[in-house]
Amino acid sequence: MSFIHSIKFKFTLWYLAVLGIALAAPSVGAYYYLSNTLYQSLDDSLELRATQISNIREALSSVAEGQFQEELGEVVYFYFYAEDQLLYLAPRDISVPVSSEMVEQAITGQSTFATVETSEGVELRVFATPFTPSETIMVPAAAGDMPSPPAPRVNIESAALVVGRPTEGIKQALDRLLHTLMIAVPVTLAAAGGGGVFLVRRALKPVDEITQKARSIEERDLSQRIEVKTRDELGRLASTLNDMIARLEKAFGRQRQFTSDASHELRTPLAVIEAESTLTLQRKRTVAEYRQSLTTIAQEAARMSLIIDQLLSLARADSEKGSPSFEAVSLGELLGELSSDLEVLCRNKGLELELAQMDDSVVKGDRLGLRVLFMNLLDNAIKYTPSGGKISVSARPEGEMVVVSVSDTGSGIPAADLPHIFERFYRVDKARSRAEGSSGLGLSIAQHIAEMHGGRIEVESELDKGSTFRVWLPLAGEV
Ligand code: ADP
């Protein structure tokens, strides 16, 4: 996986973007705040200076006589009209491009600020404000020229006072701040980015380990587990994967067991058929011997066909979760039919078959499947109950379910075997049940069918006393 497609990259990118915004926003804010404050204080100082100059007695004549003292870097101008001409007085000879509009506004009584550049290229912040002279002065030649004394003294009624100061100090301070930010922000981002990559790499290292380990665990070696080192989210991920691998291991194990059991089950009757036919064909036989042989072969073929039928119905049950062909099935009717079918079998074996409490419960289900389910339970009860015993069938509703019980007074099941009897091919007494033509699949088929109907099977059994199988099925309307 390339770095660009990794979480590390995306995480670092996001982290840097957020951090970049978090750093840039206050930096820009600080820059503008400082700039505003500095320019505001410059404007305030210009206003203050203008008031000071306005308060100087005979300010105009002291400028005209060259006695006015400007402060360092300061520019002071007086503009006024004399004989319809706009003239100016300045203590120093520098040209300041103050707009005539600004001057006119000041003469007519309106103060304004502006930023201008002198002919020497110095940036100035200028303030133009109305000025009322209280003296007569010598009039200079014309605006733009230096005063050319001697000249007649005139009385000026209104003038404009323009005070300017260089912005260089402010610009320098702002430039310094800008340089500091331009270096500090990228350096901080680079350091944070490096740190971020390091931290993410550290935090995600266990994910790489888990991925590698999970990749190395193959179907054949599902016994391996991922090491759970922490109790955090990654620890939980590792435990969840381990649980999944454990379930897979179990499922594969069950499948392997099933395959070997199934082939074993099919191989036995095949071996019998092979041996029987080979033996019979070795020499000439009487008709009775041939009949005997063929009967054995037919029996074994029937066993194989039964096993294959059962395997097929299990495979179908495995693939069809929730059959669509469900219909309303009356349990009383179904169990009644089954009992009368099995009546003869019971009588032959000297067993009493009783339909005890029978409720007219209706379930939604596959009629044929339910028939197979109860047939398997009743068949077992008949098989494992000795002559003189009793089999009792009952059905009663319990809440939203119906419970069908099949009890017998038969051999019972040892406690150690009880947890396994629903497993495929599991038989308590292997030799005996084989001889009785059983495959060990009946109960697992029954359980599958019950589960397919949203129900379950429970068993209670006591050795030599009997067994009770209870089938829980949801009543119609609940499926
Ligand atoms: P089988 O075809 O061998 O009967 P099942 O899956 O139906 O296979 O049953 C599994 C095993 O459970 C049987 O081999 C038997 O030992 C035991 N078993 C099932 N039902 C009963 C019962 N009613 N009484 C005693 N043992 C039973």
Side-chain angles (χ1 to χ4, degrees):
M1 188 176 60
S2 68
F3 181 67
I4 291 185
H5 292 113
S6 66
I7 291 185
K8 282 170 222 154
F9 178 73
K10 287 181 199 158
F11 191 89
T12 311
L13 209 65
W14 273 106
Y15 168 65
L16 284 181
V18 172
L19 191 68
I21 293 169
L23 283 175
S27 302
V28 171
Y31 182 87
Y32 279 102
Y33 178 74
L34 185 70
S35 160
N36 269 347
T37 313
L38 291 177
Y39 277 107
Q40 187 59 52
S41 65
L42 179 63
D43 287 357
D44 290 347
S45 76
L46 286 173
E47 260 183 291
L48 192 71
R49 182 66 177 145
T51 316
Q52 263 179 7
I53 295 172
S54 302
N55 289 337
I56 296 174
R57 285 191 65 238
E58 298 173 351
L60 266 181
S61 38
S62 77
V63 172
E65 286 156 21
Q67 282 163 18
F68 184 81
Q69 287 289 304
E70 286 172 304
E71 287 189 0
L72 194 68
E74 188 177 79
V75 174
V76 176
Y77 278 80
F78 287 97
Y79 288 87
F80 50 86
Y81 278 100
E83 292 162 3
D84 287 340
Q85 258 195 315
L86 182 64
L87 306 176
Y88 76 83
L89 274 179
R92 272 191 298 143
D93 180 23
I94 43 165
S95 153
V96 178
V98 181
S99 71
S100 54
E101 205 176 274
M102 203 175 164
V103 172
E104 295 288 348
Q105 274 180 352
I107 292 175
T108 52
Q110 201 184 332
S111 305
T112 47
F113 285 97
T115 306
V116 298
E117 207 170 280
T118 66
S119 50
E120 289 89 37
V122 179
E123 193 183 273
L124 289 178
R125 181 77 174 155
V126 290
F127 177 54
T129 187
F131 176 74
T132 316
S134 54
E135 75 235 79
T136 54
I137 60 155
M138 278 182 293
V139 180
D145 298 336
M146 278 302 289
S148 50
R153 294 183 83 84
V154 289
N155 195 16
I156 299 161
E157 275 167 15
S158 59
L161 164 61
V162 175
V163 189
R165 280 182 175 174
T167 57
E168 204 187 329
I170 295 177
K171 288 200 124 180
Q172 273 174 2
L174 289 177
D175 278 357
R176 267 201 302 278
L177 176 66
L178 195 64
H179 281 137
T180 312
L181 290 176
M182 296 279 263
I183 294 168
V185 170
V187 166
T188 312
L189 276 181
V197 171
F198 172 74
L199 285 179
V200 176
R201 197 167 273 178
R202 240 182 92 113
L204 292 180
K205 198 166 166 245
V207 175
D208 284 342
E209 284 171 10
I210 291 173
T211 312
Q212 263 168 24
K213 187 79 189 176
R215 210 176 268 161
S216 74
I217 296 175
E218 289 175 9
E219 189 195 314
R220 294 192 171 281
D221 189 14
L222 286 168
S223 61
Q224 286 190 58
R225 293 289 178 273
I226 297 163
E227 202 183 334
V228 182
K229 288 182 185 160
T230 52
R231 284 154 62 97
D232 55 12
E233 289 86 340
L234 293 176
R236 284 205 296 280
L237 173 69
S239 317
T240 311
L241 283 173
N242 278 343
D243 290 349
M244 201 180 80
I245 296 165
R247 280 198 299 276
L248 278 177
E249 188 186 14
K250 252 190 172 167
F252 276 119
R254 268 203 306 271
Q255 200 171 12
R256 267 199 289 274
Q257 182 66 38
F258 176 74
T259 316
S260 86
D261 286 350
S263 36
H264 176 77
E265 287 302 321
L266 290 170
R267 208 185 304 126
T268 315
L270 258 183
V272 174
I273 290 172
E274 207 179 5
E276 187 70 36
S277 48
T278 319
L279 203 72
T280 311
L281 289 172
Q282 268 175 3
R283 60 180 169 84
K284 218 168 178 247
R285 307 271 175 188
T286 63
V287 174
E289 281 172 333
Y290 278 128
R291 183 180 292 275
Q292 173 62 41
S293 247
L294 283 175
T295 310
T296 309
I297 289 171
Q299 267 171 2
E300 291 304 319
R303 268 179 56 73
M304 281 176 72
S305 140
L306 174 83
I307 293 171
I308 289 167
D309 277 354
Q310 288 181 327
L311 283 177
L312 272 178
S313 65
L314 269 178
R316 241 197 323 271
D318 277 345
S319 60
E320 278 176 24
K321 292 272 178 243
S323 166
S325 59
F326 276 5
E327 53 180 318
V329 180
S330 157
L331 283 181
E333 211 179 288
L334 181 72
L335 292 168
E337 268 173 38
L338 271 172
S339 320
S340 58
D341 286 356
L342 295 169
E343 189 77 60
V344 197
L345 215 64
C346 290
R347 212 174 319 125
N348 283 349
K349 213 184 158 184
L351 296 173
E352 185 192 338
L353 177 61
E354 178 197 46
L355 272 185
Q357 183 192 353
M358 202 41 67
D359 186 80
D360 56 357
S361 301
V362 175
V363 294
K364 256 221 167 112
D366 173 19
R367 196 182 165 79
L368 211 67
L370 290 172
R371 200 185 145 83
V372 171
L373 191 173
F374 295 119
M375 180 64 113
N376 285 356
L377 295 184
L378 284 165
D379 188 49
N380 279 347
I382 296 170
K383 253 192 313 202
Y384 301 109
T385 307
S387 178
K390 183 178 168 187
I391 296 164
S392 155
V393 182
S394 73
R396 66 188 156 80
E398 215 174 289
E400 286 166 352
M401 309 282 269
V402 57
V403 188
V404 180
S405 305
V406 178
S407 307
D408 62 60
T409 56
S411 61
I413 303 161
D417 293 298
L418 266 184
H420 304 291
I421 56 167
F422 291 100
E423 289 169 14
R424 293 168 186 192
F425 295 115
Y426 191 86
R427 285 173 295 211
V428 176
D429 181 349
K430 306 213 168 13
R432 208 192 119 200
S433 12
R434 240 192 77 75
E436 288 185 11
S438 56
S439 61
L441 289 171
L443 283 182
S444 56
I445 291 174
Q447 192 182 43
H448 252 287
I449 296 170
E451 282 170 1
M452 221 172 73
H453 285 78
R456 63 180 194 277
I457 304 186
E458 285 170 4
V459 60
E460 216 176 89
S461 185
E462 211 178 316
L463 207 56
D464 298 327
K465 288 235 168 96
S467 317
T468 301
F469 285 83
R470 287 193 188 87
V471 182
W472 298 69
L473 291 170
L475 283 165
E478 299 301 318
V479 183

